Amino acid sequence: MQNGHKQVLVEVRGLKKTFKRKDGTVVEAVKGIDLDIYRGEVFSLLGPNGAGKSTTISMLSGLLSPTEGEAKIGGYSITTQALEAKKLLGVVPQEIALYPTLSARQNLEFFGRMYGLHGSELAKSVDEVLDFIDLRERHKDRIDTFSGGMKRRVNIGVGLLHKPQLVYMDEPTVGVDPQSRRRILDTVIRLKEERKMTVLYTTHLMEESQELSSRVGIIDYGQIIALGTVGELIQKVGEEDRLIFSVGEQQVPDALLERFRTEVPGITSASYAASEFTPVAGLEDSAELVIEKRSTGAMRVVRSGQVMDGEITVHAKRGRKALPELLRIADEMGVDILSVEVREPDLEAVFLHLTGRALRE
Amino acid sequence: MDKLWSVAANDIRVTFKDRTIWLQLVIIPVVIMFFIGLANGGFGGNGVVKIRLDVFDQDNSALSGQLLADLRAANGALILCPMDGGEDNACRLNGATLTEELAAERVKNGTTQATIIIPGGFGEAALAGQPASLIYRSQETPGQASAALGALQAVVQRVGGAAVAAQVAVQTTGSLAVEDEDGFKQAVYNAASALWNSLPPTVSFSESAAKEGRRPSGFSQSVPGIGTMYVMAATVVVMFVFIQERKQWTFQRILTMPVAPWQFVGGKLLARFVNGMIQYGVAFAFGFIVGAYFGDSPLALVMVMVAFALCSTALGLLFATLVKTEQQAGSVINLVVLIAAPLGGAWWPLEIVPEWMRTVGHISPIAWAMDAFRSVIFYGGGVESVVTPVLVLLGMTAVLFIIAVSRFKYE
């Protein structure tokens, strides 16, 4: 199917999935998704945990059957022509779906056979994948001797064995160190640029989505609430910067926020949020003496109900320019600003704008 | 089919990558087979188990005495009570006088296998060529093999044949006016009996027992018994395998590949079946090493092994649809194996347990396998002797498999 000059590889219409709980209540995990993914693009499904990303991927990969709706991959229905559709598809699950006691090569060979590869074709494909994931040297080693990042690379490699047209990657950077994460993101870029593959990438990390994606679908509560390129989505929230002032345990008077709003040009909103220290259950009575170990490693005494990690968030059209004036007012009001972060418009802001919640909440 | 074979081969490879498999597959079963084999009589022939029979010889003739002597010789496991009681209270009479009422009670409570009553006039009638019968009272279910009844039928047939020969001889020699007619009859009977012994007997138990050094031993019971128990463990473990595959997400990953669900599930079942057959191979190899006798029909034994391994694998698949966690699977495997094994006669022959227990025991596929093994090993049966239990096992396989497949969830 063609959409302008773009060729549609994945076509999703009204895809819905409901689960029945043991108590008889019905949960709608995916509430009717419409989506086209074009050949050669990296498409991100961005959303918080529990938004319906994995359920959607599971339906598209044949793990779950849709309650309603239909999806086609390369023109093949995922329900009535599942085997044909799956031949076009490589899946990289969030979990390390490998046999831990087998070597990297044995795992790749076995899964290659499941994709229908045999003999020299299989051997060649396994070698190519080992080169691609840079594990040729360790191909004889058991998976359970690998680091988390190396396991992730083999996990990705399995999905590439049969040179699929489309690769699903379900949160592939979950639980990996920054170096391995970088390597995985580079792998996705190489899949698109070197192998001309189409990638459907799910994540709850805005930065990944922003870096990798040709287009992004933001999903929340089982529905796609926004769809487009990163630029198109950011335009939805305008050009506002976000300034985040860290004030630690200090109480912030409402008057300070009011002065921010009224005295500084370009400020559209100012809000304050903080968490209160809550002692663990059973220690409420001695809460005043509860000792908390902070991220710095230092020990201190905090009291029940004490304010911690307070933040003032200010939205401004030209944030950097407004900064000196904001700091001056804070100083006048006797509030010490411990740190300042200026965030330019991003997908996080888009999500916040659309849902009123942060992606990580 | 290629993918099914690949799944099976991969499963076997994964299984044997785990070094503890040798403990499960070889060391523990062999140790248990060895000690249970020793407890059942060890290397000696006929030392499997003692089977008590209460005997009332109301005839007290030379022929009835000969019949009882032949019965003892036919099966060394038989203890004829009260005459063989001895000092070790082998008859478990505890000093009581054996009456027909007590004998009936002893059969009922499983102390004895059966009561044999040789009515007065039995010997005379037999030697006169008239119908002669004896009474065998037990709680045996028709169709289930019994060592005692098999031996008795063989002996009666033999003694009956010899008696006919004696009768003919008496009639012939009667016209020659033999002086000591009774003595002559006995002499002719002895000669005929000796002649009969040199002929191929009609009951195959006697045939196997007659072969020097090739009689069933304690290991002839422990090897198929414990072997079958471990085959069950090696096959029903398929429930654990499916849980593990789901947990490590390899099951789900394969379902995203162009693989039909039956290819994956079939491959897993095939691997378990092969593991089961390997387990049987290990058990019987041990048996051959210790010189145990396993009958004369390897084909019949293989038929039983195949049928049982299939049945047990299907049982494992059914349980795979019921259990959710590895802990549940571990408990179910222990429960199933440790109940089915003794109930089915894997630890001791079902001949020695009460009738109700024997009947209940046949819920367990192990009982049918052991019936078949014992008919080949202890009663000299061939392929024809295992047809019924093998068909029962295959029937169980079909039922279990159909239920399991209808319940199995791929999502």
Side-chain angles (χ1 to χ4, degrees), chain A residues 65 86 91 97 99 155, chain B residues 3 245 249 253 255 257 411:
Chain A
S65 48
K86 286 175 182 177
V91 176
Y99 292 97
N155 205 35
Chain B
K3 288 176 183 171
E245 291 266 357
W249 253 74
R253 165 160 249 162
L255 292 183
M257 297 177 172
E411 283 198 347

Side-chain angles (χ1 to χ4, degrees), chain A residues 300-340:
Chain A
R300 64 174 184 153
V301 176
V302 291
R303 292 176 179 80
S304 177
Q306 185 172 326
V307 171
M308 297 166 64
D309 304 326
E311 279 183 356
I312 300 168
T313 303
V314 174
H315 286 94
K317 288 216 167 116
R318 296 172 71 187
R320 288 178 200 280
K321 201 169 180 187
L323 195 52
E325 187 64 5
L326 292 166
L327 290 172
R328 187 189 62 77
I329 294 171
D331 188 47
E332 276 180 20
M333 298 288 289
V335 175
D336 289 334
I337 302 298
L338 305 178
S339 68
V340 180

Side-chain angles (χ1 to χ4, degrees), chain A residues 5 13 106 112 138 144 148 177 187 190 207 261 282 334-335 355:
Chain A
H5 63 284
R13 295 291 176 267
Q106 286 169 335
R138 300 283 305 270
D144 54 10
D177 59 273
T187 302
R190 285 172 63 202
E207 315 85 68
R261 286 186 210 109
V335 175
T355 66

Side-chain angles (χ1 to χ4, degrees), chain A residues 176-225:
Chain A
V176 299
D177 59 273
Q179 197 183 354
S180 300
R181 180 169 167 264
R182 184 65 257 161
R183 203 162 192 156
I184 290 168
L185 297 181
D186 288 344
T187 302
V188 178
I189 293 166
R190 285 172 63 202
L191 286 177
K192 183 191 172 197
E193 291 180 356
E194 294 173 18
R195 298 197 167 202
K196 310 295 177 202
M197 285 179 179
T198 307
V199 179
L200 171 56
Y201 191 95
T202 73
T203 182
H204 65 281
L205 299 174
M206 170 275 301
E207 315 85 68
E208 290 183 2
S209 193
Q210 198 154 326
E211 177 184 346
L212 298 173
S213 314
S214 318
R215 288 190 309 138
V216 179
I218 297 181
I219 184 168
D220 193 36
Y221 291 120
Q223 285 177 307
I224 293 197
I225 55 174

Side-chain angles (χ1 to χ4, degrees), chain B residues 2 22 29-30 50 71 123 141-142 148 157 174 178 209 214 253 296 323:
Chain B
D2 273 2
W22 299 108
V30 162
K50 295 297 179 189
L71 194 56
T141 306
Q157 198 172 5
V178 176
R214 301 298 295 158
R253 165 160 249 162
D296 295 320
V323 296

